[in-house]
């Protein structure tokens, strides 16, 4: 098992009522699995993450402060002590 920290920024921390979650997952768990598990554990995150772990438009996900897409996208394996950050994108138009 590995320990991960999940940081919620912007409006997500208001909806969830917390800025951080700690989650324990199996060794070799991929980002998609972790995000799907997060939605089950914290249903308010469904505004940012689909049930199957896909990221909804308007949200960014980082692994250790780097966009998850620079790795293997949703198939990125996570390791112990990784920090996953979920950030809503706010912009004017």
């Amino acid at each position: 098992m590995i320990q991960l920290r999940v940081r919620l920024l912007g409006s997500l921390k208001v909806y969830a009522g917390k800025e951080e979650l700690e989650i324990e997952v199996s060794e070799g768990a991929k980002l998609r699995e972790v995000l799907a598990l997060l939605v089950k554990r914290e249903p308010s995150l469904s505004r940012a993450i689909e049930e199957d772990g896909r990221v909804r438009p308007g949200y960014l996900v980082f692994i250790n402060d780097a966009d998850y897409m620079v790795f293997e996208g949703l198939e990125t394996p996570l390791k112990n002590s990784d920090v996953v950050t979920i950030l809503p994108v706010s912009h004017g138009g």
Side-chain angles (χ1 to χ4, degrees):
M1 297 299 272
I2 60 173
Q3 287 284 127
L4 303 172
R5 200 172 80 185
V6 179
R7 294 175 50 218
L8 305 174
L9 300 180
S11 59
L12 287 178
K13 66 182 173 185
V14 175
Y15 296 127
K18 55 191 101 174
E19 288 184 48
E20 235 177 65
L21 298 164
E22 293 213 1
I23 190 166
E24 190 172 87
V25 295
S26 304
E27 190 83 29
K30 298 194 176 2
L31 179 61
R32 178 188 302 272
E33 299 166 53
V34 170
L35 294 177
L37 183 62
L38 278 171
V39 171
K40 287 181 184 154
R41 181 172 163 189
E42 185 58 58
S44 67
L45 295 180
S46 65
R47 67 186 68 248
I49 303 162
E50 300 280 353
E51 278 185 29
D52 65 0
R54 286 179 295 128
V55 180
R56 290 185 185 265
Y59 291 89
L60 300 174
V61 174
F62 298 92
I63 301 170
N64 300 325
D65 297 326
D67 189 315
Y68 76 102
M69 293 303 290
V70 303
F71 303 112
E72 296 173 48
L74 291 172
E75 300 309 310
T76 303
L78 298 174
K79 55 191 182 316
N80 200 41
S81 300
D82 277 349
V83 178
V84 175
T85 304
I86 307 171
L87 168 72
V89 178
S90 299
H91 52 81

